[in-house]
Amino acid sequence: MRSPRSVHDVGLRAVPQSVRRVGGRLVGRTRAELDWRRSRPGHADLALFHEFAPAPSGGGHQFLRALTHELDGRGLAVELNRISGRTPACLFNSFNFDFRRLRRFAERGARMVHRVDGPIGAYRGFDDGTDARIAEVNAALASATIFQSEFSLAKHRELGFELREPVVIPNAVDPAIFHPPTIRDPLEGRRVRLVASSWSDNRRKGAETLTWLDRNLDPDRFELTFAGRPPAAFERFRVVGPLESSALADLLRTQDAYIAPSRDDPCSNALLEALACGLPAVYRRSGGHPELVGEGGLPYRDDDELGDVLDRLVVELDERRAAISTPSLASVADSYLEVLGLRAAA
């Protein structure tokens, strides 16, 4: 006869999913309580609540990595997913963190600032209740809210979400990685190099526009490259897959112009990376794109305008490149510190 086996012998699959969920929550609460007790004597300049994904990853992860690197370079100590007893301020990002853990640590009395994306429903194209949950967290914990664009602030208000003490601070990229090349290949005698990039394969990232370009652009005049997870199947685009930041920046510096086709994107980090590498943009007049590009590119509304818009951009390429103006990481960090009440520490 076979002897009885314990749960550890048979593995987690023997445990009902509902029990595993409850067990996971209990473990999380116990760990949070232990961490809370251990952190009481500690101190940092700033706490950040955000669950980072390994690189390469999406724009929110990229920006927060750049911001924490900038703050670290200024000698500021940033602790992750905890608020020590003498830490004066906390930045928590959208919904990408453990809310129960944050609520436990927030009892310390630190100034709580909520960085908000979206609206998620507009960006994804469907409402699964995430925006309402973000608003609930904001009402419960936030002293102030950082939006990434005027579009994002206005769209939240349009949908009935009034978040605490809103300010608008755009994202920025790491200038040590994303910067223009020292020299560029002249256009004469070769095709114009167009590039698009995206970590997400959400079709609202511009699947229809990219498919239109793939089918309609003259291959003798234009060379098409896509970096990331393509939202559609292409025939002419050269797809290079997701790239870590340094490799992506190297690629961008070899290109002539950037295509930004996403819809309702509040503050596209991919677009900011391209602009910082000196690429004028052809962008959908949607979301925060017009705020980021300014005169450093040309807008379009419908795909059938793209041929004429690209013809004009090629003629005006040097002029549009000279007009590119992106927020510096240092100035964005200054603005964050001011909202967090840490200006003197900078």
Side-chain angles (χ1 to χ4, degrees), residues 321-340:
R321 182 177 294 122
I324 293 172
S325 178
T326 57
S328 72
L329 183 59
S331 66
V332 167
D334 285 344
S335 297
Y336 266 78
L337 291 172
E338 186 171 2
V339 176
L340 288 159

PDB file of all heavy atoms in Angstrom, residues 321-340:
ATOM      1  N   ARG A 321      13.815  68.179 -37.734  1.00  0.00           N
ATOM      2  CA  ARG A 321      14.789  67.659 -36.775  1.00  0.00           C
ATOM      3  C   ARG A 321      15.304  68.775 -35.873  1.00  0.00           C
ATOM      4  O   ARG A 321      15.447  68.579 -34.651  1.00  0.00           O
ATOM      5  CB  ARG A 321      15.945  66.985 -37.505  1.00  0.00           C
ATOM      6  CG  ARG A 321      16.980  66.371 -36.555  1.00  0.00           C
ATOM      7  CD  ARG A 321      18.073  65.660 -37.319  1.00  0.00           C
ATOM      8  NE  ARG A 321      17.565  64.497 -38.016  1.00  0.00           N
ATOM      9  CZ  ARG A 321      17.650  64.301 -39.315  1.00  0.00           C
ATOM     10  NH1 ARG A 321      18.222  65.222 -40.086  1.00  0.00           N
ATOM     11  NH2 ARG A 321      17.176  63.219 -39.876  1.00  0.00           N
ATOM     12  N   ALA A 322      15.555  69.928 -36.450  1.00  0.00           N
ATOM     13  CA  ALA A 322      16.050  71.051 -35.658  1.00  0.00           C
ATOM     14  C   ALA A 322      15.011  71.555 -34.666  1.00  0.00           C
ATOM     15  O   ALA A 322      15.360  72.189 -33.657  1.00  0.00           O
ATOM     16  CB  ALA A 322      16.480  72.187 -36.588  1.00  0.00           C
ATOM     17  N   ALA A 323      13.746  71.289 -34.916  1.00  0.00           N
ATOM     18  CA  ALA A 323      12.665  71.775 -34.047  1.00  0.00           C
ATOM     19  C   ALA A 323      12.334  70.816 -32.910  1.00  0.00           C
ATOM     20  O   ALA A 323      11.501  71.128 -32.056  1.00  0.00           O
ATOM     21  CB  ALA A 323      11.409  72.031 -34.881  1.00  0.00           C
ATOM     22  N   ILE A 324      12.977  69.645 -32.878  1.00  0.00           N
ATOM     23  CA  ILE A 324      12.690  68.681 -31.810  1.00  0.00           C
ATOM     24  C   ILE A 324      13.089  69.262 -30.459  1.00  0.00           C
ATOM     25  O   ILE A 324      14.188  69.787 -30.285  1.00  0.00           O
ATOM     26  CB  ILE A 324      13.431  67.354 -32.053  1.00  0.00           C
ATOM     27  CG1 ILE A 324      12.877  66.643 -33.286  1.00  0.00           C
ATOM     28  CG2 ILE A 324      13.341  66.446 -30.827  1.00  0.00           C
ATOM     29  CD1 ILE A 324      13.678  65.417 -33.698  1.00  0.00           C
ATOM     30  N   SER A 325      12.179  69.162 -29.508  1.00  0.00           N
ATOM     31  CA  SER A 325      12.447  69.617 -28.139  1.00  0.00           C
ATOM     32  C   SER A 325      11.786  68.641 -27.179  1.00  0.00           C
ATOM     33  O   SER A 325      10.559  68.524 -27.153  1.00  0.00           O
ATOM     34  CB  SER A 325      11.898  71.033 -27.920  1.00  0.00           C
ATOM     35  OG  SER A 325      12.106  71.450 -26.585  1.00  0.00           O
ATOM     36  N   THR A 326      12.581  67.917 -26.413  1.00  0.00           N
ATOM     37  CA  THR A 326      12.045  66.947 -25.465  1.00  0.00           C
ATOM     38  C   THR A 326      12.402  67.373 -24.046  1.00  0.00           C
ATOM     39  O   THR A 326      13.436  68.005 -23.818  1.00  0.00           O
ATOM     40  CB  THR A 326      12.607  65.536 -25.725  1.00  0.00           C
ATOM     41  OG1 THR A 326      14.044  65.590 -25.660  1.00  0.00           O
ATOM     42  CG2 THR A 326      12.185  65.031 -27.092  1.00  0.00           C
ATOM     43  N   PRO A 327      11.567  67.035 -23.071  1.00  0.00           N
ATOM     44  CA  PRO A 327      11.883  67.385 -21.681  1.00  0.00           C
ATOM     45  C   PRO A 327      13.131  66.649 -21.219  1.00  0.00           C
ATOM     46  O   PRO A 327      13.327  65.471 -21.531  1.00  0.00           O
ATOM     47  CB  PRO A 327      10.640  66.931 -20.903  1.00  0.00           C
ATOM     48  CG  PRO A 327      10.007  65.895 -21.768  1.00  0.00           C
ATOM     49  CD  PRO A 327      10.293  66.297 -23.183  1.00  0.00           C
ATOM     50  N   SER A 328      13.996  67.340 -20.497  1.00  0.00           N
ATOM     51  CA  SER A 328      15.198  66.688 -19.987  1.00  0.00           C
ATOM     52  C   SER A 328      14.851  65.861 -18.756  1.00  0.00           C
ATOM     53  O   SER A 328      13.930  66.187 -17.996  1.00  0.00           O
ATOM     54  CB  SER A 328      16.266  67.726 -19.627  1.00  0.00           C
ATOM     55  OG  SER A 328      15.893  68.434 -18.457  1.00  0.00           O
ATOM     56  N   LEU A 329      15.593  64.795 -18.564  1.00  0.00           N
ATOM     57  CA  LEU A 329      15.374  63.961 -17.393  1.00  0.00           C
ATOM     58  C   LEU A 329      15.626  64.749 -16.111  1.00  0.00           C
ATOM     59  O   LEU A 329      14.907  64.583 -15.115  1.00  0.00           O
ATOM     60  CB  LEU A 329      16.291  62.738 -17.452  1.00  0.00           C
ATOM     61  CG  LEU A 329      16.149  61.715 -16.335  1.00  0.00           C
ATOM     62  CD1 LEU A 329      14.736  61.156 -16.260  1.00  0.00           C
ATOM     63  CD2 LEU A 329      17.164  60.585 -16.519  1.00  0.00           C
ATOM     64  N   ALA A 330      16.615  65.637 -16.127  1.00  0.00           N
ATOM     65  CA  ALA A 330      16.921  66.432 -14.934  1.00  0.00           C
ATOM     66  C   ALA A 330      15.756  67.340 -14.557  1.00  0.00           C
ATOM     67  O   ALA A 330      15.392  67.452 -13.383  1.00  0.00           O
ATOM     68  CB  ALA A 330      18.191  67.254 -15.168  1.00  0.00           C
ATOM     69  N   SER A 331      15.151  68.000 -15.556  1.00  0.00           N
ATOM     70  CA  SER A 331      14.040  68.914 -15.251  1.00  0.00           C
ATOM     71  C   SER A 331      12.803  68.142 -14.801  1.00  0.00           C
ATOM     72  O   SER A 331      12.062  68.591 -13.916  1.00  0.00           O
ATOM     73  CB  SER A 331      13.711  69.782 -16.470  1.00  0.00           C
ATOM     74  OG  SER A 331      13.192  68.996 -17.536  1.00  0.00           O
ATOM     75  N   VAL A 332      12.569  66.973 -15.388  1.00  0.00           N
ATOM     76  CA  VAL A 332      11.440  66.147 -14.963  1.00  0.00           C
ATOM     77  C   VAL A 332      11.654  65.661 -13.526  1.00  0.00           C
ATOM     78  O   VAL A 332      10.726  65.673 -12.706  1.00  0.00           O
ATOM     79  CB  VAL A 332      11.258  64.958 -15.940  1.00  0.00           C
ATOM     80  CG1 VAL A 332      10.315  63.907 -15.352  1.00  0.00           C
ATOM     81  CG2 VAL A 332      10.722  65.467 -17.272  1.00  0.00           C
ATOM     82  N   ALA A 333      12.869  65.250 -13.199  1.00  0.00           N
ATOM     83  CA  ALA A 333      13.170  64.842 -11.827  1.00  0.00           C
ATOM     84  C   ALA A 333      12.955  65.998 -10.858  1.00  0.00           C
ATOM     85  O   ALA A 333      12.412  65.805  -9.760  1.00  0.00           O
ATOM     86  CB  ALA A 333      14.600  64.319 -11.737  1.00  0.00           C
ATOM     87  N   ASP A 334      13.370  67.199 -11.239  1.00  0.00           N
ATOM     88  CA  ASP A 334      13.125  68.378 -10.398  1.00  0.00           C
ATOM     89  C   ASP A 334      11.635  68.545 -10.116  1.00  0.00           C
ATOM     90  O   ASP A 334      11.226  68.828  -8.985  1.00  0.00           O
ATOM     91  CB  ASP A 334      13.643  69.644 -11.079  1.00  0.00           C
ATOM     92  CG  ASP A 334      15.158  69.768 -11.045  1.00  0.00           C
ATOM     93  OD1 ASP A 334      15.812  69.046 -10.247  1.00  0.00           O
ATOM     94  OD2 ASP A 334      15.702  70.569 -11.832  1.00  0.00           O
ATOM     95  N   SER A 335      10.815  68.389 -11.151  1.00  0.00           N
ATOM     96  CA  SER A 335       9.367  68.555 -10.998  1.00  0.00           C
ATOM     97  C   SER A 335       8.786  67.484 -10.081  1.00  0.00           C
ATOM     98  O   SER A 335       7.908  67.762  -9.250  1.00  0.00           O
ATOM     99  CB  SER A 335       8.684  68.516 -12.368  1.00  0.00           C
ATOM    100  OG  SER A 335       9.113  69.589 -13.184  1.00  0.00           O
ATOM    101  N   TYR A 336       9.246  66.250 -10.232  1.00  0.00           N
ATOM    102  CA  TYR A 336       8.785  65.180  -9.340  1.00  0.00           C
ATOM    103  C   TYR A 336       9.154  65.493  -7.893  1.00  0.00           C
ATOM    104  O   TYR A 336       8.328  65.334  -6.971  1.00  0.00           O
ATOM    105  CB  TYR A 336       9.392  63.847  -9.759  1.00  0.00           C
ATOM    106  CG  TYR A 336       8.517  63.042 -10.694  1.00  0.00           C
ATOM    107  CD1 TYR A 336       8.431  63.360 -12.046  1.00  0.00           C
ATOM    108  CD2 TYR A 336       7.771  61.961 -10.236  1.00  0.00           C
ATOM    109  CE1 TYR A 336       7.623  62.624 -12.920  1.00  0.00           C
ATOM    110  CE2 TYR A 336       6.961  61.221 -11.091  1.00  0.00           C
ATOM    111  CZ  TYR A 336       6.892  61.561 -12.423  1.00  0.00           C
ATOM    112  OH  TYR A 336       6.083  60.843 -13.270  1.00  0.00           O
ATOM    113  N   LEU A 337      10.379  65.922  -7.668  1.00  0.00           N
ATOM    114  CA  LEU A 337      10.817  66.214  -6.303  1.00  0.00           C
ATOM    115  C   LEU A 337       9.996  67.342  -5.684  1.00  0.00           C
ATOM    116  O   LEU A 337       9.672  67.307  -4.493  1.00  0.00           O
ATOM    117  CB  LEU A 337      12.307  66.582  -6.292  1.00  0.00           C
ATOM    118  CG  LEU A 337      13.269  65.433  -6.597  1.00  0.00           C
ATOM    119  CD1 LEU A 337      14.693  65.946  -6.750  1.00  0.00           C
ATOM    120  CD2 LEU A 337      13.203  64.363  -5.506  1.00  0.00           C
ATOM    121  N   GLU A 338       9.633  68.311  -6.506  1.00  0.00           N
ATOM    122  CA  GLU A 338       8.827  69.415  -5.996  1.00  0.00           C
ATOM    123  C   GLU A 338       7.460  68.920  -5.539  1.00  0.00           C
ATOM    124  O   GLU A 338       6.976  69.299  -4.462  1.00  0.00           O
ATOM    125  CB  GLU A 338       8.681  70.490  -7.061  1.00  0.00           C
ATOM    126  CG  GLU A 338       7.983  71.742  -6.572  1.00  0.00           C
ATOM    127  CD  GLU A 338       8.040  72.872  -7.579  1.00  0.00           C
ATOM    128  OE1 GLU A 338       8.593  72.683  -8.672  1.00  0.00           O
ATOM    129  OE2 GLU A 338       7.523  73.962  -7.255  1.00  0.00           O
ATOM    130  N   VAL A 339       6.804  68.087  -6.361  1.00  0.00           N
ATOM    131  CA  VAL A 339       5.496  67.556  -5.980  1.00  0.00           C
ATOM    132  C   VAL A 339       5.606  66.664  -4.757  1.00  0.00           C
ATOM    133  O   VAL A 339       4.712  66.644  -3.885  1.00  0.00           O
ATOM    134  CB  VAL A 339       4.858  66.788  -7.155  1.00  0.00           C
ATOM    135  CG1 VAL A 339       3.530  66.155  -6.741  1.00  0.00           C
ATOM    136  CG2 VAL A 339       4.648  67.717  -8.348  1.00  0.00           C
ATOM    137  N   LEU A 340       6.701  65.921  -4.659  1.00  0.00           N
ATOM    138  CA  LEU A 340       6.916  65.030  -3.521  1.00  0.00           C
ATOM    139  C   LEU A 340       7.320  65.768  -2.247  1.00  0.00           C
ATOM    140  O   LEU A 340       7.403  65.166  -1.181  1.00  0.00           O
ATOM    141  CB  LEU A 340       8.004  64.003  -3.873  1.00  0.00           C
ATOM    142  CG  LEU A 340       7.596  62.925  -4.880  1.00  0.00           C
ATOM    143  CD1 LEU A 340       8.833  62.308  -5.522  1.00  0.00           C
ATOM    144  CD2 LEU A 340       6.754  61.854  -4.199  1.00  0.00           C
TER     145      LEU A 340
END
